[in-house]
Amino acid sequence: MSSLFSLFSSPKQRSAQNEEDEDSDSSQNESQEMKGEVHSHLEESIRPYIDLIDTLRSIGIHKDLSLPTVVVIGDQSSGKSSVLEALSGIALPRGSGIVTRCPLELRLKKVTGGVKWKAVLSYRKKRIELVDSSIFASPLNVSGQLRSGKVAHSVYDEKKFEFEDPSEVEERVKAAQNELAGKGVGIRNELITLEIMSPDVCDLTLIDLPGIARVPVKGQPQDIGDQKEETINMVVVPCNTDITTTEALKMAQEVDPEGKRTIAILTKPDLIDKGTEKNILAVVHNKVIPLRKGYIMVKCRGQQQINDEIPLEEAEQMEKDFFQNHDYYRGLLTENRATIKGLAVRLTHILVDHIKKSLPQLDDNVKKMLWDAKNELNECEEGPPQDPKGAKQFLIMILKKFNDRINSLSTGDLIIKENLFVRLREIFKKWNDHLVDTKPSFKNMKEFCQNNRGRELLGFSNYRVFEIVLQSQVATLKKPAFDLLNIIKEIILEQFRDVSNQSFQNYPVLLDITTKKIINIQASQHAKAQERISEQFEMENMIYTQDPIYLKMLNEISHETFSEDQLPIFDTKTKYSEMLQAYYDIVVQRMADQLPMMITLFMLKQTAQFLSTDMLSLLDWANVSELLFDNSDNAKKRKDLQVRLKRLTAAQEALSDFI
Ligand code: GDP
Ligand code: MG
């Protein structure tokens, strides 16, 4: 903030005008107004500036830079609440210790034309909402099979209360504070705005800040020094204390050494020590501790008057009487250095002057921040647009990209981390190796046949025995075949997951849904493949091949060239092993190709196809922004910047009418 600080004391600012001249200018206006000759043009010249600052604050621009404000500083029981009360005509939460626990913005608006008193209390309450990502389950979801994920994001509830009974203020402010800061003494930064529309108030906006507006009490942070150049300090000092040593005045002096932004309010003139009147008068006349904005003396309701429930209007009359009848302070009335009403008018003028002076710099700062925010946003990684149409288009784009990737993966055109097809070939080769390595020699068939000889006469062979031998041999391949399927399934799952992570890394909801879809589709494809492999083994159980194929293999194995009609010579027990070997080789060849093709088709090709189709069903999802919910750091930054940009643009628009 030091940059702002220095910007505000730039030569342009300092040479703007002679402040004392200006102050005496406005004193003339004040005296006219105090005499009841309220010039409508004056109202017209003041109100827009106050409204502008109120507008800027509603936009939220005070989060980016500080706005001209009046803050109240003073010791305990110096009369802060009494002054605020008299200015606003309403009872605020009062008590000892920390009463103001959230910044309270008090917007006083003068209304004319027989409008009754009316107040609007408003604030924003942050709430964390959990989105259940399992609600996005795909049609293929096997319910209960998958874990459900929750993702958190914050939403704001706008609270607004309108009421017409001034006596409700205290309770309503307290309730709002409790809601925002919790019961107890916690302090929060959320702003509570209380707008009072009444014929009896001045156009003025005051901010009561916890820990800043008041002299810190035990446990409150001592952050009075954090005040910005834009703050007007309203220091409340009771007359019946040693004004020169007042802590609050010292603090104001620390943050505003030249006293340019400090106005002092002297309270409790009725409780003054007899004999000190002249000393006090010297203070009010700015002769003791000079302040550019000067002093003003007010008399509020004493404790007794509060106990007696003297209404504020009556107190106003009593204040006037008090000054008129006072030997020493009578003159202050004409000098515009006394009464609550005089304070209100003076404060308004100070604030408006201050606003006017701050505007060019404020405008410059807003423009600069707008520029910075735009640049920063450009540097931010791209994300979904905030409008529903744009968000939908963005969704279409990332889904398409994902599908393209999945399809390229299935055709081997996309390589992530490792080449899928290289990996598959490796595994399939192992399968082939296994088939070859486990090939039996069938050498002991002679013995086997003797051991299994049935009712046939000697010399006759039993075909059934050979069938059994081959069938049991093929059956040993069943488990390795299913193992192969499972291994491939895992490899493909991993690669599909990689593609999902790559495509939806910033969108946990979308990623979760996609993962579930992959798992579901894979599960059903796995079941299909399992069935298909089982069928394959059932077929192998039949022992079959085409004669020419068999003959070719038999010749290869025996290194001879027999024709079909020469074959019966094989039907001797010595040749059985070669016949079995030849057939089993055919089985091995069949299985070596068939299974990889089957598994690739079911687990890769079809899975990719079904997944792409299923992903498109997400386009029918009603709440796109929920689907695109993004909680990455980049997204948070982008979201913040987008909000800020909106805010700054609105601020610049509001300011442009004044510059
Ligand atoms: P705060 O702690 O600074 O907010 O002070 P309060 O406004 O609560 O005032 C403290 C006490 O001083 C209350 O009893 C008020 O009635 C009393 N008080 C405030 N202003 C005056 C005044 O001008 N004259 C007298 N006699 N009492 C006052
Ligand atoms: Mg108080």
Side-chain angles (χ1 to χ4, degrees), residues 485-498:
L485 172 67
N486 292 336
I487 292 167
I488 300 296
K489 180 189 165 194
E490 287 310 315
I491 290 171
I492 292 174
L493 176 64
E494 200 188 305
Q495 295 239 348
F496 274 35
R497 277 210 161 128
D498 286 344

Side-chain angles (χ1 to χ4, degrees), residues 298-454:
V298 301
K299 193 196 93 63
C300 299
R301 294 182 301 176
Q303 196 54 52
Q304 190 55 51
Q305 288 168 310
I306 291 170
N307 295 348
D308 294 347
E309 293 180 15
I310 304 238
L312 285 166
E313 310 87 71
E314 204 172 311
E316 198 183 322
Q317 188 55 46
M318 287 166 85
E319 185 192 34
K320 209 171 172 188
D321 293 345
F322 169 82
F323 282 109
Q324 265 165 358
N325 298 329
H326 204 284
D327 293 339
Y328 291 90
Y329 302 144
R330 188 177 299 128
L332 294 179
L333 277 178
T334 47
E335 292 167 21
N336 293 325
R337 294 188 207 267
T339 74
I340 284 290
K341 201 156 177 210
L343 168 66
V345 175
R346 171 108 57 112
L347 263 183
T348 309
H349 277 280
I350 291 174
L351 186 61
V352 168
D353 285 346
H354 195 72
I355 293 170
K356 280 185 190 165
K357 263 184 259 170
S358 312
L359 283 188
Q361 196 59 58
L362 202 60
D363 189 55
D364 277 1
N365 286 341
V366 167
K367 277 188 187 137
K368 194 176 160 291
M369 291 177 119
L370 199 60
W371 172 260
D372 287 348
K374 270 183 195 160
N375 281 344
E376 255 185 273
L377 197 60
N378 281 345
E379 277 165 29
C380 247
E381 200 183 290
E382 242 187 89
Q386 294 201 307
D387 62 299
K389 211 177 145 205
K392 182 90 176 226
Q393 249 147 20
F394 184 84
L395 179 67
I396 293 173
M397 198 234 343
I398 58 170
L399 288 184
K400 192 182 169 301
K401 229 180 197 168
F402 172 80
N403 281 352
D404 286 350
R405 280 187 181 146
I406 285 291
N407 289 323
S408 308
L409 185 74
S410 80
T411 53
D413 296 328
L414 176 74
I415 295 166
I416 25 169
K417 282 193 206 158
E418 52 174 7
N419 186 323
L420 177 61
F421 279 81
V422 169
R423 188 96 177 85
L424 293 183
R425 196 171 293 115
E426 215 171 85
I427 305 291
F428 290 147
K429 186 181 175 301
K430 275 188 190 156
W431 164 246
N432 188 58
D433 291 348
H434 177 80
L435 292 172
V436 174
D437 293 348
T438 55
K439 254 193 230 173
S441 63
F442 302 105
K443 281 280 186 281
N444 51 357
M445 273 318 288
K446 195 173 167 185
E447 204 180 321
F448 187 85
C449 285
Q450 264 162 16
N451 293 343
N452 288 280
R453 184 179 160 190

Side-chain angles (χ1 to χ4, degrees), residues 112-137:
T112 46
V115 184
K116 274 196 304 184
W117 190 96
K118 195 181 130 190
V120 183
L121 182 83
S122 55
Y123 55 94
R124 274 155 52 108
K125 184 156 168 62
K126 191 174 169 177
R127 179 162 56 84
I128 301 295
E129 202 169 66
L130 290 175
V131 179
D132 190 349
S133 64
S134 67
I135 54 173
F136 303 103

Side-chain angles (χ1 to χ4, degrees), residues 75-83 94 214 267-271 298-303 306:
D75 291 315
Q76 280 294 309
S77 290
S78 56
K80 297 180 299 292
S81 303
S82 303
V83 171
R94 282 169 142 219
R214 291 155 190 226
T267 57
K268 309 188 188 180
D270 52 323
L271 302 181
V298 301
K299 193 196 93 63
C300 299
R301 294 182 301 176
Q303 196 54 52
I306 291 170

